[in-house]
Amino acid sequence: MRHDSRQTDQLRPIKVERRYTKATPGSILISAGDTVVLCTASLDNSVPPWKKNDENPSGWVTAEYNMLPGSTSPRKQRRADGRSSEIQRLIGRSLRAVIDFEALGPRTITVDCDVLQADGGTRTLSITGGFLALLDTVLAIPETCELAEGEVFDPKKVFTNSVAAVSVGVVEGEPVLDLDYVEDSTAGVDMNVVMTGGGDFVEVQGTAEGLVFNRGMLDAQLELATLGIEQLTAIQRECIGGDWPL
Amino acid sequence: MRHDSRQTDQLRPIKVERRYTKATPGSILISAGDTVVLCTASLDNSVPPWKKNDENPSGWVTAEYNMLPGSTSPRKQRRADGRSSEIQRLIGRSLRAVIDFEALGPRTITVDCDVLQADGGTRTLSITGGFLALLDTVLAIPETCELAEGEVFDPKKVFTNSVAAVSVGVVEGEPVLDLDYVEDSTAGVDMNVVMTGGGDFVEVQGTAEGLVFNRGMLDAQLELATLGIEQLTAIQRECIGGDWPL
Amino acid sequence: MRHDSRQTDQLRPIKVERRYTKATPGSILISAGDTVVLCTASLDNSVPPWKKNDENPSGWVTAEYNMLPGSTSPRKQRRADGRSSEIQRLIGRSLRAVIDFEALGPRTITVDCDVLQADGGTRTLSITGGFLALLDTVLAIPETCELAEGEVFDPKKVFTNSVAAVSVGVVEGEPVLDLDYVEDSTAGVDMNVVMTGGGDFVEVQGTAEGLVFNRGMLDAQLELATLGIEQLTAIQRECIGGDWPL
Amino acid sequence: MRHDSRQTDQLRPIKVERRYTKATPGSILISAGDTVVLCTASLDNSVPPWKKNDENPSGWVTAEYNMLPGSTSPRKQRRADGRSSEIQRLIGRSLRAVIDFEALGPRTITVDCDVLQADGGTRTLSITGGFLALLDTVLAIPETCELAEGEVFDPKKVFTNSVAAVSVGVVEGEPVLDLDYVEDSTAGVDMNVVMTGGGDFVEVQGTAEGLVFNRGMLDAQLELATLGIEQLTAIQRECIGGDWPL
Amino acid sequence: MRHDSRQTDQLRPIKVERRYTKATPGSILISAGDTVVLCTASLDNSVPPWKKNDENPSGWVTAEYNMLPGSTSPRKQRRADGRSSEIQRLIGRSLRAVIDFEALGPRTITVDCDVLQADGGTRTLSITGGFLALLDTVLAIPETCELAEGEVFDPKKVFTNSVAAVSVGVVEGEPVLDLDYVEDSTAGVDMNVVMTGGGDFVEVQGTAEGLVFNRGMLDAQLELATLGIEQLTAIQRECIGGDWPL
Amino acid sequence: MRHDSRQTDQLRPIKVERRYTKATPGSILISAGDTVVLCTASLDNSVPPWKKNDENPSGWVTAEYNMLPGSTSPRKQRRADGRSSEIQRLIGRSLRAVIDFEALGPRTITVDCDVLQADGGTRTLSITGGFLALLDTVLAIPETCELAEGEVFDPKKVFTNSVAAVSVGVVEGEPVLDLDYVEDSTAGVDMNVVMTGGGDFVEVQGTAEGLVFNRGMLDAQLELATLGIEQLTAIQRECIGGDWPL
């Protein structure tokens, strides 16, 4: 049994608050147990510098990840580090994997994932919540942006799929789903899995933490992750309700 | 009449949520209208480097201020700028003005003020909320810290007073209290006033914004600020209830 | 009596040397007792980036402040810090408060205030001297710049007023004018006041240094500052003589 | 058939030059086709700062990764970027996974992987070559270091296993081993696999590049990687010959 | 006699490997005894920003110098320092001294000198090898670049001369040529001399290292340097063979 | 004849103002024609970090060089660049060449050279003036520092010689002494020579500026420099008068 009485294949309680702040239509406060992330997606009506010279430039999505200093104890210093940079590259890649940039048009969306409280799994929760913030910002484009002459913008075409993420790991020799900080710090293997709502893999990142792992253990973790992503996708869909584009 | 129907001497609705996050005892989510700031106060059981060589080193309080990128539209880039640095120096000075560092003992507390949503008055709300976070962290020292041998720690002795802050300004020729962003951007004068619960001044920072101001106008604004601070002090006191140390 | 025998309302001896260096027409060496600041104003025939797309871009004035390492003991390290950044923002705002940017035309002037010797009051002396450097650079525009076709440039129209600054404070319980370093380091309150030659306020920045202050004490300091500014304005006017534009 | 006529499960030709430079005993020039990496392992007889206060501090291994500007066309600018930081974190974790830090003793070894020529697979080749440089530096400790009093140093005990890495991917719908640059830039999936000589996983990092992938495709790639690592381990063992510690 | 049995006027053995890497036509691995430098020259079909507004912009040559961390013991940290910046400015000036920028046309060439192994004389060897890399990149322009309409490009016209460099110094009271690290660290004077193949001076940089030097000693060193440059020029010419442009 | 009517072997008028500022005993305002440099030497009663573990640590002298933004037209931006870093390394080496660090004792002196007005020759004037500032700070050690127990401090023993510097160059084919900016910008060769008062060389730095130079031209410039240094040494000696330690 896990230290918080969860089953090995059980997610922590997930809560999602849509439109948490008002500066942008895409603003999601998402929590998994005691991990809380604020995801906002800000739209800029321009294309990134390296697409500027294209004839019909398509859009772009980028992500930033940051832990607030008070989100953890002891306090985390407020400066960019290698870990944050690596995580925000992962989030960006994961979100871009389900976007059709032609359909997005010449726009750049930045998804900011700011961790208010950190109890393990911040990067995967950022992807799950970041997708929702991105979705809401895209859905609002017809009301918030002036379209180009002749442009027909269909938010549904922007998304080729939904995306969510979850961590799995091996704790005391047993594969478990959605590790909190206590489990994470004793895990022998730490794995982050990003999958589409359609059940395909976007990213698999498994790391031995003091304990190398064989193929059987790898397979067991991938199974758990697949189960977790199914539940997270259902939660995402419920949050958006009738606006769900897929 | 003001654009949101407030009286010239009326604050925006103030809400305070105590113990918003769990990583530190001092965690306050405070809002004034649509301005929302998360204030956390983290304790470090060490003294700043420049006090290290003192025989009986006393403590220190410092502050950091940051606007989340998605707190405003267009999105604010995630990098330290001169404005942030100036604001966090103001917050730090204001909080230190009511602390007895001998009574605090050899401890450093960092108060982080992260703006989740910005609609004017973020620096003054950071002071008002930051004081509460600082207070809760100090109140918890007896449970959270191992005291030095022979040390008698009395949270009430750490505070010589309470502190709060509010903005005033001149909008369309008339002095008004607690400006929101719309008012702030058209104000001819912009003034931030920090006062103790006892009614004395800690900081007065008034800046002409396109319009210089005479002594009469300065006096009218100081009056409004004094009224506002009285109400904010009452709200602070109510939030803390029986633990209020003064 | 003050430690250097001055009256509470007496300035230190002020000396101004006009056209101290030759690289720019606006070059002022100004001293108040042992505080010495070199103020130079350099003109650039372009507009700041954020005005580039305006149809008829107006001008801009910016300031930089720096203490030479040998200006103080112990030696000050040669790197930008929060204090310098805050001070140069104050100097810039103060100078801009008396400039008509339409009349200045599409030009940017940078006022550099380099402290050669620091004995208190460097930021206020930088404003008083910086205004003179700015004035001389503007007066020289007809000789040093090629005007745009059809442009009529009148230096007198560029200035809506003159500006000067002085510090006041509370030393041993008594309000005093123009603090030197010895007084500054024991003052209970430290206040910088920026005013126009016409007697209006541009900035009021008062800070409790270990001692909060009541309204009466604030008023007494504002009175002293007003007296000081009157004398500084007279000195500015005498330095410029017949070229004084107001 | 692949563009360079290789089989899908065929590595590029691997060459290893041991003791390429003289400043440190561990210096390996390794190439896989046209990718060339210089790996050097430098020993420092001290422990990292965060282990300084341990009673019997154990050692540490860290890695740095860098592409020389002329290693690629167009020229790569000479500055740290997020990609390099992420790669060097991967290399460091992979090497540390097979080290017993107690057996290493209070020493820090930095493994530098400088890419002289880049044609795909630089990060995995850095791990394969970096392990050899690390091994040679550890083997030389008895001759190059003064041991602590009473210390018995056994290089064989430092290594719990060997480690090597290889890339796999999906090119034109088919899983292939050890992608070069041409294949990498058209691959739909890009995966880096780090394994021990004993056949266990250390890291699995798979990324969809424009194409999400299902479980079957993931399994096929893991198979190919396992085959590649077996060959790389044999090459490593042959390079070190009788000194091989495992 | 010198510690490695060389005569006072004898160079270390010089080896040059042309076309060492493939990403650019100009790639030279050059060694003098145990000092090894990889010089690559990368061409960019654009002009530097400060020449962009010229009507017929001419080209530019710039250099970067870097020691790999493992090139020396103890390991050199991987960050720009004043010494590197000074050296790369010297290399750039030396190469530019023999280039006709009109004949080069609107192109920028960056010569990267990365030290793989450091045993004294890295900056002079970088100039000698860097010239060869630059030469090969220019010789390849007709095949690698699309010429502007009507442009006639003649590689021979780009070079007004060849350039090479060597160090001299005073070791144990005696002037010697081409110091290695052991000699360099005990030398009383350290001098770097850059000369053209035609026998004229491009740079003379002599520094007293603990021992000032008189005119006679200066003259003796200049004589040795002249002898060394003659030999290095012959080696350069032999390396390039029939392509030598002068 | 030169553009300012000087002979080819004639210095610009040199003026030296001793004890220009008060924060440190060594404060020299030195000018050569329109070039003006403020040199201050600040003493720190500690040794540099890399000497901290020596048993009887000796002292150190370091230098910093900076041009004020207003010292030149157009205005120079206020940030460290490669040129400044290279110059301050030259100044530091030159001053250290005449110091006995044992005799200086465990003290660090930083010589700051801040250019108030730049008209050519700023680096050589910084050395000539910097030596005087350094000298005055050392002479004052008996009054300003508490000596170590048993320490006998003799300022005369700290200096093994005096040091001064001057520029020479080739202008319109003719060697000239002490170039101003107009000459410097058209010079075919630019050379900086640092010599002791005893007539020996400390540094020789000659650079071809578009024109390589032969041995005869080099000799002619060295002759001029020797003449110039003799005069500068006499001016240094006169400035210090009876305190001159050599």
Side-chain angles (χ1 to χ4, degrees):
Chain A
M1 177 116 74
R2 297 164 77 173
H3 80 104
D4 59 352
S5 313
R6 277 190 289 154
Q7 302 300 316
T8 54
D9 63 351
Q10 192 181 348
L11 294 173
R12 291 175 285 181
I14 310 289
K15 280 190 286 191
V16 188
E17 186 169 345
R18 199 177 174 194
R19 293 178 193 135
Y20 180 68
T21 51
K22 300 181 180 172
T24 174
S27 172
I28 298 286
L29 188 76
I30 189 166
S31 60
D34 280 344
T35 292
V36 184
V37 184
L38 174 56
C39 305
T40 55
S42 302
L43 185 137
D44 180 12
N45 276 304
S46 66
V47 288
W50 45 274
K51 286 197 176 184
K52 281 253 160 78
N53 295 326
D54 294 4
E55 204 175 341
N56 288 307
S58 58
W60 194 242
V61 168
T62 187
E64 299 197 359
Y65 167 93
N66 183 47
M67 283 174 65
L68 295 205
S71 65
T72 190
S73 174
R75 179 181 181 272
K76 186 181 175 300
Q77 287 195 33
R78 200 182 286 270
R79 58 181 159 71
D81 51 13
R83 178 184 169 274
S84 297
S85 153
E86 186 172 333
I87 291 175
Q88 70 193 17
R89 287 160 52 90
L90 168 65
I91 300 171
R93 280 197 311 270
S94 300
L95 296 176
R96 285 192 293 271
V98 296
I99 297 294
D100 178 329
F101 293 118
E102 304 286 326
L104 178 56
R107 304 175 169 91
T108 301
I109 300 180
T110 304
V111 178
D112 287 286
C113 301
D114 286 274
V115 178
L116 304 194
Q117 192 163 270
D119 188 38
T122 60
R123 82 187 69 187
T124 48
L125 196 63
S126 293
I127 292 168
T128 304
F131 173 74
L132 295 175
L134 175 60
L135 178 52
D136 268 345
T137 292
V138 170
L139 290 174
I141 285 178
E143 294 97 65
T144 58
C145 297
E146 205 171 329
L147 300 189
E149 211 184 297
E151 186 182 2
V152 180
F153 184 86
D154 181 354
K156 287 178 194 289
K157 293 207 171 133
V158 174
F159 296 93
T160 61
N161 219 320
S162 68
V163 69
V166 78
S167 76
V168 282
V170 178
V171 177
E172 294 174 17
E174 197 165 11
V176 294
L177 177 67
D178 189 21
L179 289 69
D180 66 13
Y181 178 77
V182 166
E183 293 176 324
D184 195 41
S185 53
T186 62
V189 182
D190 185 14
M191 193 166 230
N192 294 293
V193 179
V194 186
M195 294 179 78
T196 65
D200 284 321
F201 292 96
V202 175
E203 289 256 350
V204 175
Q205 293 198 338
T207 301
E209 305 270 1
L211 203 76
V212 296
F213 53 103
N214 61 23
R215 181 64 189 273
M217 205 50 108
L218 174 56
D219 288 347
Q221 292 177 82
L222 293 172
E223 240 94 289
L224 281 179
T226 305
L227 283 175
I229 296 287
E230 280 168 16
Q231 297 171 62
L232 290 166
T233 302
I235 290 168
Q236 286 177 323
R237 186 188 288 262
E238 185 186 27
C239 165
I240 303 299
D243 296 332
W244 186 255
L246 295 161
Chain B
M1 179 116 72
R2 296 165 77 175
H3 80 104
D4 59 353
S5 312
R6 277 190 288 154
Q7 302 298 317
T8 56
D9 63 351
Q10 192 181 347
L11 292 173
R12 289 176 287 180
I14 309 289
K15 281 191 285 192
V16 188
E17 186 169 344
R18 202 179 173 191
R19 291 174 194 137
Y20 180 70
T21 52
K22 299 180 179 174
T24 176
S27 173
I28 296 286
L29 188 75
I30 189 166
S31 61
D34 281 343
T35 291
V36 184
V37 183
L38 173 57
C39 305
T40 55
S42 301
L43 185 136
D44 179 11
N45 275 305
S46 67
V47 289
W50 45 273
K51 286 196 176 186
K52 281 252 159 79
N53 295 328
D54 294 3
E55 203 175 342
N56 290 307
S58 58
W60 192 243
V61 170
T62 187
E64 297 197 2
Y65 167 93
N66 184 45
M67 283 173 65
L68 295 204
S71 65
T72 190
S73 173
R75 179 181 181 268
K76 188 182 172 298
Q77 286 196 33
R78 200 182 284 271
R79 58 182 160 69
D81 52 14
R83 176 183 170 274
S84 295
S85 155
E86 185 172 334
I87 290 175
Q88 72 192 17
R89 287 159 52 88
L90 167 67
I91 299 171
R93 282 196 310 268
S94 298
L95 297 176
R96 286 192 293 272
V98 296
I99 297 293
D100 179 330
F101 293 117
E102 304 288 326
L104 177 56
R107 300 173 173 94
T108 301
I109 300 179
T110 304
V111 179
D112 287 286
C113 302
D114 287 273
V115 179
L116 304 194
Q117 191 163 275
D119 189 38
T122 61
R123 82 187 67 189
T124 49
L125 194 65
S126 293
I127 292 169
T128 304
F131 173 74
L132 295 175
L134 175 60
L135 179 51
D136 267 346
T137 292
V138 170
L139 290 174
I141 284 178
E143 294 99 64
T144 58
C145 297
E146 206 171 329
L147 299 190
E149 211 185 296
E151 184 181 2
V152 180
F153 184 86
D154 182 353
K156 290 180 192 288
K157 292 208 170 134
V158 175
F159 296 93
T160 61
N161 218 320
S162 67
V163 68
V166 77
S167 76
V168 283
V170 178
V171 177
E172 294 175 14
E174 198 166 8
V176 293
L177 178 66
D178 189 20
L179 290 68
D180 65 14
Y181 177 75
V182 166
E183 291 176 325
D184 196 38
S185 53
T186 60
V189 183
D190 184 15
M191 194 166 228
N192 294 294
V193 179
V194 186
M195 296 180 75
T196 65
D200 284 320
F201 292 96
V202 175
E203 289 259 349
V204 175
Q205 294 198 339
T207 302
E209 305 272 1
L211 203 78
V212 296
F213 52 103
N214 62 22
R215 182 63 190 275
M217 204 53 104
L218 172 57
D219 288 348
Q221 292 177 81
L222 293 172
E223 239 93 291
L224 281 178
T226 305
L227 283 175
I229 296 286
E230 280 168 16
Q231 297 172 62
L232 290 166
T233 302
I235 290 167
Q236 286 177 323
R237 184 187 289 262
E238 184 187 27
C239 166
I240 302 301
D243 298 332
W244 187 256
L246 295 162
Chain C
M1 178 114 76
R2 297 163 76 174
H3 81 104
D4 61 351
S5 311
R6 276 191 287 154
Q7 302 299 316
T8 55
D9 63 352
Q10 192 181 348
L11 294 174
R12 289 175 288 179
I14 309 290
K15 281 192 287 192
V16 187
E17 188 169 342
R18 199 180 175 191
R19 292 173 191 139
Y20 180 69
T21 51
K22 299 180 180 174
T24 174
S27 173
I28 297 286
L29 188 75
I30 190 167
S31 60
D34 281 344
T35 292
V36 184
V37 183
L38 173 57
C39 305
T40 56
S42 302
L43 185 137
D44 180 11
N45 275 304
S46 67
V47 289
W50 43 274
K51 286 197 175 184
K52 280 254 161 77
N53 295 326
D54 294 4
E55 202 176 343
N56 289 306
S58 59
W60 194 244
V61 168
T62 186
E64 298 196 0
Y65 167 93
N66 184 47
M67 283 175 64
L68 295 203
S71 66
T72 190
S73 175
R75 178 179 181 273
K76 186 183 174 297
Q77 286 195 35
R78 199 184 285 274
R79 57 182 161 71
D81 52 12
R83 178 185 169 272
S84 295
S85 153
E86 185 171 334
I87 291 175
Q88 71 192 16
R89 287 161 52 90
L90 168 66
I91 300 172
R93 281 197 311 269
S94 298
L95 296 176
R96 284 193 292 272
V98 296
I99 297 294
D100 178 329
F101 293 118
E102 303 286 329
L104 177 55
R107 303 175 170 94
T108 301
I109 299 179
T110 304
V111 178
D112 287 286
C113 302
D114 285 275
V115 178
L116 304 194
Q117 193 165 269
D119 187 39
T122 61
R123 82 186 69 187
T124 49
L125 196 64
S126 292
I127 292 169
T128 305
F131 173 73
L132 296 175
L134 176 59
L135 178 51
D136 267 346
T137 291
V138 170
L139 290 173
I141 284 178
E143 292 99 63
T144 57
C145 297
E146 205 170 328
L147 300 189
E149 211 185 297
E151 183 182 4
V152 181
F153 183 86
D154 181 354
K156 287 178 194 289
K157 292 204 171 137
V158 175
F159 296 93
T160 62
N161 219 320
S162 66
V163 69
V166 76
S167 76
V168 284
V170 178
V171 177
E172 293 173 17
E174 196 166 12
V176 294
L177 177 66
D178 189 21
L179 288 70
D180 63 15
Y181 178 75
V182 165
E183 292 176 324
D184 196 40
S185 54
T186 60
V189 183
D190 184 15
M191 193 166 229
N192 294 293
V193 179
V194 186
M195 295 179 77
T196 64
D200 283 321
F201 292 97
V202 174
E203 288 258 351
V204 175
Q205 293 199 339
T207 303
E209 305 271 1
L211 203 79
V212 297
F213 52 102
N214 62 22
R215 180 66 189 273
M217 207 48 106
L218 173 57
D219 288 347
Q221 292 177 83
L222 291 172
E223 238 95 291
L224 281 178
T226 305
L227 283 175
I229 296 288
E230 279 168 15
Q231 296 171 62
L232 289 166
T233 302
I235 289 167
Q236 285 177 323
R237 184 189 288 263
E238 184 186 26
C239 166
I240 302 301
D243 297 333
W244 187 254
L246 297 160
Chain D
M1 178 115 74
R2 296 164 77 176
H3 79 103
D4 60 353
S5 312
R6 278 191 286 154
Q7 302 298 317
T8 55
D9 63 351
Q10 191 181 346
L11 293 174
R12 288 176 288 179
I14 310 289
K15 281 190 285 191
V16 188
E17 188 169 344
R18 202 179 172 192
R19 292 176 194 135
Y20 180 70
T21 52
K22 300 180 178 173
T24 175
S27 173
I28 297 286
L29 188 74
I30 189 167
S31 60
D34 281 343
T35 292
V36 185
V37 183
L38 174 57
C39 304
T40 56
S42 303
L43 184 137
D44 180 12
N45 276 305
S46 67
V47 290
W50 45 275
K51 287 196 174 186
K52 281 255 160 74
N53 295 328
D54 294 3
E55 202 174 342
N56 289 307
S58 59
W60 193 242
V61 169
T62 187
E64 298 197 0
Y65 167 93
N66 184 45
M67 284 173 64
L68 295 205
S71 66
T72 191
S73 174
R75 177 180 182 270
K76 185 183 175 299
Q77 287 196 34
R78 200 182 285 273
R79 56 183 163 68
D81 51 14
R83 177 185 168 273
S84 296
S85 153
E86 184 172 335
I87 291 175
Q88 72 191 14
R89 287 161 53 90
L90 167 66
I91 300 171
R93 281 197 311 269
S94 298
L95 297 175
R96 285 192 294 271
V98 296
I99 297 293
D100 179 328
F101 293 117
E102 304 288 328
L104 177 58
R107 300 173 174 94
T108 301
I109 300 180
T110 304
V111 178
D112 287 287
C113 302
D114 285 275
V115 178
L116 304 194
Q117 193 163 273
D119 188 38
T122 60
R123 82 186 68 187
T124 49
L125 195 64
S126 293
I127 291 169
T128 304
F131 173 72
L132 296 175
L134 175 59
L135 178 50
D136 269 345
T137 291
V138 170
L139 290 173
I141 285 177
E143 293 98 65
T144 56
C145 296
E146 208 170 328
L147 299 188
E149 214 184 294
E151 183 181 4
V152 180
F153 184 85
D154 181 353
K156 287 179 195 289
K157 294 207 171 134
V158 175
F159 296 93
T160 61
N161 218 320
S162 67
V163 68
V166 76
S167 75
V168 282
V170 179
V171 176
E172 294 175 13
E174 199 165 8
V176 294
L177 177 67
D178 189 21
L179 289 69
D180 65 14
Y181 178 75
V182 165
E183 292 176 324
D184 196 40
S185 53
T186 62
V189 182
D190 184 15
M191 191 166 230
N192 295 292
V193 178
V194 186
M195 296 179 77
T196 65
D200 282 323
F201 292 96
V202 176
E203 287 258 350
V204 175
Q205 292 199 341
T207 302
E209 303 273 1
L211 204 78
V212 296
F213 53 104
N214 62 24
R215 182 62 189 276
M217 205 50 106
L218 173 57
D219 288 348
Q221 293 177 81
L222 293 172
E223 240 92 292
L224 282 179
T226 305
L227 283 176
I229 297 285
E230 280 168 16
Q231 298 171 62
L232 290 167
T233 303
I235 290 167
Q236 286 177 324
R237 184 186 288 262
E238 184 187 26
C239 166
I240 303 300
D243 297 334
W244 187 255
L246 295 162
Chain E
M1 179 117 72
R2 297 164 77 174
H3 81 104
D4 60 354
S5 312
R6 276 190 289 153
Q7 302 298 317
T8 54
D9 62 352
Q10 192 181 347
L11 293 174
R12 290 177 285 180
I14 309 290
K15 280 192 285 190
V16 188
E17 188 169 344
R18 201 179 173 192
R19 290 172 196 139
Y20 180 69
T21 51
K22 299 179 180 174
T24 174
S27 172
I28 298 286
L29 187 75
I30 189 167
S31 61
D34 280 345
T35 292
V36 185
V37 183
L38 173 57
C39 305
T40 54
S42 303
L43 185 137
D44 180 11
N45 276 304
S46 67
V47 289
W50 44 274
K51 286 196 175 186
K52 280 256 162 74
N53 295 326
D54 294 3
E55 203 177 341
N56 290 306
S58 58
W60 192 243
V61 169
T62 186
E64 298 197 0
Y65 167 94
N66 183 47
M67 284 174 65
L68 296 204
S71 65
T72 191
S73 174
R75 177 179 182 273
K76 187 182 172 299
Q77 286 194 35
R78 199 184 285 272
R79 59 181 159 70
D81 51 13
R83 178 185 168 274
S84 295
S85 152
E86 185 172 335
I87 290 175
Q88 72 192 17
R89 287 160 52 90
L90 167 65
I91 300 171
R93 281 197 310 269
S94 299
L95 296 176
R96 285 192 293 271
V98 297
I99 297 294
D100 179 329
F101 293 118
E102 304 285 328
L104 177 57
R107 304 175 168 92
T108 300
I109 300 178
T110 304
V111 178
D112 287 285
C113 302
D114 285 275
V115 179
L116 304 193
Q117 191 163 272
D119 188 39
T122 59
R123 80 186 70 186
T124 50
L125 196 64
S126 293
I127 292 169
T128 305
F131 174 72
L132 295 175
L134 175 59
L135 179 50
D136 268 345
T137 292
V138 170
L139 289 174
I141 285 177
E143 292 99 66
T144 56
C145 296
E146 205 172 329
L147 300 189
E149 209 185 299
E151 184 180 5
V152 181
F153 184 85
D154 181 355
K156 288 181 193 289
K157 292 209 171 129
V158 174
F159 296 93
T160 62
N161 219 321
S162 68
V163 68
V166 76
S167 77
V168 284
V170 178
V171 176
E172 294 175 16
E174 198 164 10
V176 294
L177 178 67
D178 189 20
L179 289 69
D180 65 13
Y181 178 75
V182 166
E183 291 177 324
D184 196 42
S185 54
T186 62
V189 183
D190 185 15
M191 193 165 229
N192 294 294
V193 179
V194 186
M195 295 179 76
T196 65
D200 283 321
F201 292 97
V202 174
E203 287 257 352
V204 175
Q205 293 199 340
T207 302
E209 303 272 0
L211 203 79
V212 296
F213 53 104
N214 62 23
R215 181 62 188 275
M217 205 52 107
L218 173 57
D219 288 348
Q221 293 178 82
L222 292 173
E223 237 95 289
L224 282 178
T226 306
L227 283 175
I229 297 287
E230 280 169 14
Q231 298 171 61
L232 289 167
T233 303
I235 290 166
Q236 286 177 322
R237 185 187 289 261
E238 186 187 24
C239 166
I240 302 300
D243 296 335
W244 187 255
L246 295 162
Chain F
M1 178 115 72
R2 296 164 77 175
H3 81 103
D4 60 352
S5 312
R6 277 190 287 155
Q7 301 299 317
T8 54
D9 63 351
Q10 191 181 347
L11 294 173
R12 290 176 286 179
I14 310 290
K15 282 191 284 192
V16 188
E17 187 168 344
R18 202 179 172 191
R19 293 174 192 135
Y20 179 70
T21 52
K22 299 180 179 174
T24 175
S27 173
I28 297 286
L29 187 75
I30 189 167
S31 61
D34 280 344
T35 292
V36 185
V37 184
L38 174 57
C39 304
T40 55
S42 302
L43 186 137
D44 180 12
N45 275 305
S46 67
V47 289
W50 45 274
K51 287 197 174 186
K52 281 253 160 78
N53 296 326
D54 295 2
E55 204 177 340
N56 288 307
S58 58
W60 192 243
V61 169
T62 187
E64 297 196 2
Y65 167 93
N66 183 47
M67 283 173 64
L68 296 204
S71 66
T72 190
S73 174
R75 179 179 181 272
K76 188 182 173 298
Q77 286 196 34
R78 200 182 285 269
R79 58 180 159 73
D81 52 14
R83 177 184 168 272
S84 296
S85 154
E86 185 172 335
I87 291 174
Q88 72 192 17
R89 286 160 53 90
L90 168 66
I91 300 171
R93 283 197 309 269
S94 299
L95 297 176
R96 286 191 293 272
V98 297
I99 297 293
D100 179 330
F101 293 117
E102 304 288 326
L104 177 57
R107 302 174 172 92
T108 301
I109 301 180
T110 303
V111 178
D112 288 287
C113 302
D114 285 275
V115 178
L116 303 193
Q117 191 164 274
D119 188 38
T122 59
R123 82 185 70 187
T124 49
L125 195 64
S126 292
I127 292 169
T128 304
F131 173 74
L132 296 175
L134 175 59
L135 179 50
D136 268 345
T137 292
V138 171
L139 290 173
I141 285 178
E143 295 99 64
T144 56
C145 297
E146 205 171 329
L147 300 189
E149 210 185 297
E151 182 182 6
V152 181
F153 184 86
D154 181 353
K156 287 178 194 288
K157 292 207 171 133
V158 174
F159 295 93
T160 62
N161 218 320
S162 67
V163 68
V166 77
S167 76
V168 282
V170 178
V171 178
E172 294 175 14
E174 200 166 8
V176 294
L177 177 66
D178 190 22
L179 289 69
D180 64 14
Y181 177 75
V182 166
E183 292 176 324
D184 197 40
S185 52
T186 61
V189 183
D190 185 15
M191 191 165 230
N192 294 293
V193 180
V194 186
M195 296 179 76
T196 65
D200 283 322
F201 292 95
V202 174
E203 287 257 351
V204 175
Q205 292 198 340
T207 302
E209 304 273 1
L211 203 78
V212 296
F213 53 104
N214 62 23
R215 182 64 189 275
M217 204 52 106
L218 173 57
D219 288 348
Q221 292 177 81
L222 293 172
E223 239 92 292
L224 281 179
T226 306
L227 284 175
I229 296 287
E230 280 169 16
Q231 297 171 62
L232 290 167
T233 303
I235 290 167
Q236 286 177 323
R237 185 186 288 264
E238 187 187 25
C239 166
I240 303 301
D243 297 333
W244 186 255
L246 296 161

